[in-house]
Amino acid sequence: MAPRAQHCAIWFGTPGTREQAMFAAIGWPLRLARAEAARQVGMRGGDLVVAVVDLRDADAAHIEALETALAEHADLPTLALVDADTGEDPARQHLLSLCHARLLAPFDAGRLEAALASLLSSPRRDIASIGGQSPAMLGVRALLHRYADVELPVLITGESGTGKELAARALHDLSSRRGKPFVAMNCGAISPTLVQSELFGHERGAFTGAATRRMGLFESADGGTVFLDEIGDLPLDAQTNLLRVLQEGTVERVGSSHAIRVDVRVLAATHVDLEAAIAAGRFRQDLYYRLDVLRLQLPPLRARGDDVELLARQFLDTFRTGHAVQARGFSAAARQCLRRHAWPGNVRELLNRVRRAAVVAEHALIEPADLQLGGATPQVVALDAHRDRTERDALVDALRATGCNVSASARRLRVSRVTIYRLCRKHGVSLEAFR
Ligand SMILES: Nc1ncnc2c1ncn2[C@@H]1O[C@H](COP(=O)(O)OP(=O)(O)OP(=O)(O)O)[C@@H](O)[C@H]1O
Ligand SMILES: [Mg+2]
């Protein structure tokens, strides 16, 4: 793999904690320098370095020190952070004229990243698809950058709809494996009898119906990334073979004992507690330790503060570019409902509610009724979410244990067959997938 170009920003002065978090979130190491002692800044040859000067509260003495510091580093591209009103002061204006770009406060991580990237005129390593500026999400984005090029598995955890798949894609796109395949498989959506051959391939005649030799997912992702979603649903025999991939870097096709070398990075996601699955004998402990080297925990949407409104706005704007709808924004009451709702379905629920509201809203501002929000209290919704999850898990377990026999599953769960069909519809579980 080609080594990644080192880049870093040198901040002349003292950044606040939020600014430090933003630099970490966009994967830019930040080094601090005192403007008065700029000569102490050491740089390695080949590094891509950008200087950052904060002119927002700079007094005359600091401006003079900054000017001297920039003169020492005239070759450095420099980004100035400014207020809307930069003032008339000639010394400040002169310093500004020495800077190569300016960024207007208040700014977010996305605009900071764009400004820094434009200074280096390098293509942006884009994870802008992951919206959010809350401290929790800045932390997630910082980890994405930190983990991207480490050749170790990442275990991505988080409730349903928190963006686990999005994060897996971002890890791939940020890594030097981008340009090679990113292959995702939902371990819970595929029949246990087919999992082995899906993942590892099979030889001709390996089992009834194997008319031709087939390459598995791992082989087809060679050089790239395999994302195993709902890893907790992987059957035990496939877990053993996955362990071999992680330990030895080889796969064996079903029906063959010939080891084929594969170069893949494994990312895995789960919304179930794998430690509980280990205790229940459904998950191999040694595999868990292999997978859980780097952990990325996606926070539930209710822990992301103002991100709810920010994402709602973003989803509405995106929807409006493709659809002619009346809605242009959210009423104050709707914004309040967005803030108060518990979001059991997390970002996916928000996205769906916003899209539906955009379609049904008859006025320029979306109201609580359009979002179908306003009734339930957050506690009730949160409890319902837990019930739903347990219900879905029980359904999937029953279908799996009975080889997708609807009558046997119904007996096992002590419900009617009709209820099994209804639950499948409710939870989006396809019976076909288990057959
Ligand atoms: N931070 C975010 N910014 C913008 N869109 C997001 C964000 N997080 C998630 N989404 C969107 O929300 C939807 C759900 O995300 P995703 O499928 O990655 O979640 P998940 O955690 O894998 O869910 P599940 O557990 O149900 O598989 C997707 O449409 C995704 O694009
Ligand atoms: Mg997913």
Side-chain angles (χ1 to χ4, degrees), residues 89-136:
D89 172 34
R92 182 185 294 258
Q93 291 300 335
H94 181 249
L95 185 60
L96 253 183
S97 71
L98 298 177
C99 297
H100 303 87
R102 61 182 76 177
L103 182 59
L104 192 64
F107 50 88
D108 59 24
R111 289 181 46 221
L112 176 64
E113 187 177 19
L116 290 169
S118 74
L119 274 175
L120 293 180
S121 57
S122 64
R124 238 175 114 194
R125 319 190 87 199
D126 199 357
I127 53 168
S129 60
I130 301 187
Q133 297 291 333
S134 59

Side-chain angles (χ1 to χ4, degrees), residues 128-132 137 158-167 186 227 229-230 269-271 298 304 311 314-315 347-349 351 355:
S129 60
I130 301 187
M137 284 314 285
E159 292 177 13
S160 183
T162 45
K164 296 187 290 296
E165 177 150 3
L166 206 59
N186 186 331
F227 172 52
D229 206 353
E230 305 302 356
T270 178
H271 78 267
L298 287 170
R304 301 189 201 175
L311 288 175
Q314 191 176 307
F315 293 153
V347 186
R348 182 182 294 108
E349 180 188 353
L351 177 64
R355 284 181 179 162

Side-chain angles (χ1 to χ4, degrees), residues 2 11-12 26 39 43 98 106 163 177 198-199 237 257 273 284 294-295 298 300 315 341 352:
W11 184 298
F12 291 98
I26 61 174
R39 247 175 264 197
M43 268 176 283
L98 298 177
R177 291 176 179 269
E198 277 296 315
L199 287 177
D237 51 353
S257 53
D273 179 359
R284 288 183 66 129
L294 305 175
R295 174 77 73 110
L298 287 170
F315 293 153
H341 186 56
N352 291 338

Side-chain angles (χ1 to χ4, degrees), residues 31 90 119 158 207 214 246 256 270 288 338 352 366 389 423:
R31 292 160 68 194
L119 274 175
F207 49 85
R214 182 158 177 248
L246 295 174
S256 157
T270 178
Y288 175 64
L338 288 173
N352 291 338
I366 288 174
R389 213 166 299 140
L423 290 176

